[in-house]
Amino acid sequence: MIVTIDGKEVSCERGEYLLDIATRAGIRIASLCHHEGLQGQGCCRLCTVEVETGRGDTGRGEGAQSGSFSDKKPRREIVAACIYPVEAECVVYTDSERVRRNRGILLALLRASAPASEEIAELCREFGAPDGARYEVQSGDGKCILCGLCAKACQTLGTGAISSVGRGTAKKISTPYDEPATVCVGCGSCAAVCPTGAIEVAEDGDERTIWNKTLTLTRCSRCGAVTGTAFEHYRASVHAGTEPPDLCPDCRRKAMTDTMAKTFGV
């Protein structure tokens, strides 16, 4: 199946999400709440594009018949590319006037809700977002846009230490009762997927502090690099039924290479 994005024809499979198709083709569509390791959420709506469907026969193929579908008037709609599955050939505009207007308003709203986020400020500069002085909806710590990526990552890893709490303007991402979560292993995955830098992770010597919880760090016995927290490795080893690792991934690969070299005399 063929999808035409900004004049470029791209092959895809039926049901693929539009953002994935564009990314594979090297076409950038701005997004915040999307992460390749997690399913699309459609929360921030920044990946808004305009999709035109109903063109019918595009002239490709010898067996095309005129006057069947090509006489129907095409339909255009605004969609979130990260959760839009392509079911038929269509034409996509990522920078039409309608898209620019909607994207500008979305960015202005995001900047108002997270004024301390440099990532959002940079997007506003890049895409020329309007002033947005009328959108005074600041809440939380000034960086979080409540996209939910952090909570989803935590849940996917089987920890579930954080989630959205509260309602309305009081809604936020936090641990239960804002207390250090007993199940939090301090892996930092939530901070790694956060698109706006809202989650703080502090490391001081042999300790890591996140979500008001301080955990002891473990280091590679060969190179000294941080490999995670002791609690993180303990939980993983219990689930896997193995001993906690004492080497970082790089040193494990080197150790395996050394073993192979000695075994086979390379």
Side-chain angles (χ1 to χ4, degrees):
M1 189 166 61
I2 299 295
V3 173
T4 304
I5 307 176
D6 293 339
K8 181 178 182 180
E9 292 189 349
V10 183
S11 298
C12 68
E13 296 294 329
R14 188 180 303 275
E16 273 194 273
Y17 290 120
L18 188 51
L19 182 59
D20 295 333
I21 298 170
T23 301
R24 187 175 66 248
I27 301 172
R28 179 177 177 244
I29 298 177
S31 64
L32 278 172
C33 73
H34 178 78
H35 190 278
E36 60 182 7
L38 302 169
Q39 291 183 343
Q41 308 213 104
C43 295
C44 72
R45 315 299 291 188
L46 187 58
C47 63
T48 288
V49 296
E50 191 170 9
V51 176
E52 182 181 290
T53 56
R55 283 192 175 188
D57 173 34
T58 57
R60 285 186 292 270
E62 296 180 358
Q65 296 182 0
S66 61
S68 54
F69 294 99
S70 57
D71 293 335
K72 292 185 178 181
K73 184 178 180 179
R75 183 184 67 169
R76 286 195 178 196
E77 61 180 331
I78 292 291
V79 305
C82 70
I83 56 173
Y84 184 82
V86 175
E87 300 294 345
E89 293 191 0
C90 58
V91 179
V92 181
Y93 305 92
T94 70
D95 199 38
S96 66
E97 181 180 351
R98 192 178 175 192
V99 169
R100 287 194 296 270
R101 182 173 62 252
N102 284 15
R103 187 171 55 209
I105 294 173
L106 286 167
L107 282 169
L109 285 167
L110 288 169
R111 179 172 53 195
S113 62
S117 172
E118 180 54 37
E119 289 81 358
I120 293 178
E122 179 58 35
L123 285 169
C124 287
R125 289 190 289 268
E126 178 182 353
F127 292 106
D131 185 343
R134 54 192 271 189
Y135 306 120
E136 294 296 337
V137 292
Q138 179 178 349
S139 61
D141 67 357
K143 290 186 178 181
C144 180
I145 59 173
L146 295 174
C147 68
L149 270 178
C150 57
K152 196 166 188 176
C154 191
Q155 183 180 22
T156 301
L157 291 172
T159 303
I162 57 176
S163 63
S164 60
V165 297
R167 296 181 179 180
T169 57
K171 186 177 181 180
K172 63 179 180 179
I173 300 294
S174 185
T175 55
Y177 306 104
D178 292 329
E179 296 291 332
T182 56
V183 294
C184 177
V185 299
C187 64
S189 296
C190 54
V193 300
C194 176
T196 61
I199 301 175
E200 295 184 0
V201 182
E203 291 188 5
D204 182 14
D206 294 324
E207 293 182 331
R208 174 183 295 167
T209 300
I210 184 172
W211 296 110
N212 299 318
K213 184 175 184 177
T214 300
L215 302 101
T216 302
L217 292 171
T218 58
R219 295 182 179 275
C220 174
S221 60
R222 176 177 289 189
C223 70
V226 173
T227 60
T229 69
F231 190 31
E232 176 186 2
H233 288 315
Y234 167 74
R235 285 283 300 271
S237 64
V238 168
H239 284 292
T242 60
E243 291 295 320
D246 65 340
L247 297 176
C248 68
D250 286 342
C251 287
R252 280 202 300 271
R253 284 192 291 269
K254 292 177 182 177
M256 185 177 296
T257 301
D258 293 342
T259 300
M260 295 289 286
K262 290 179 181 178
T263 301
F264 297 102
V266 178

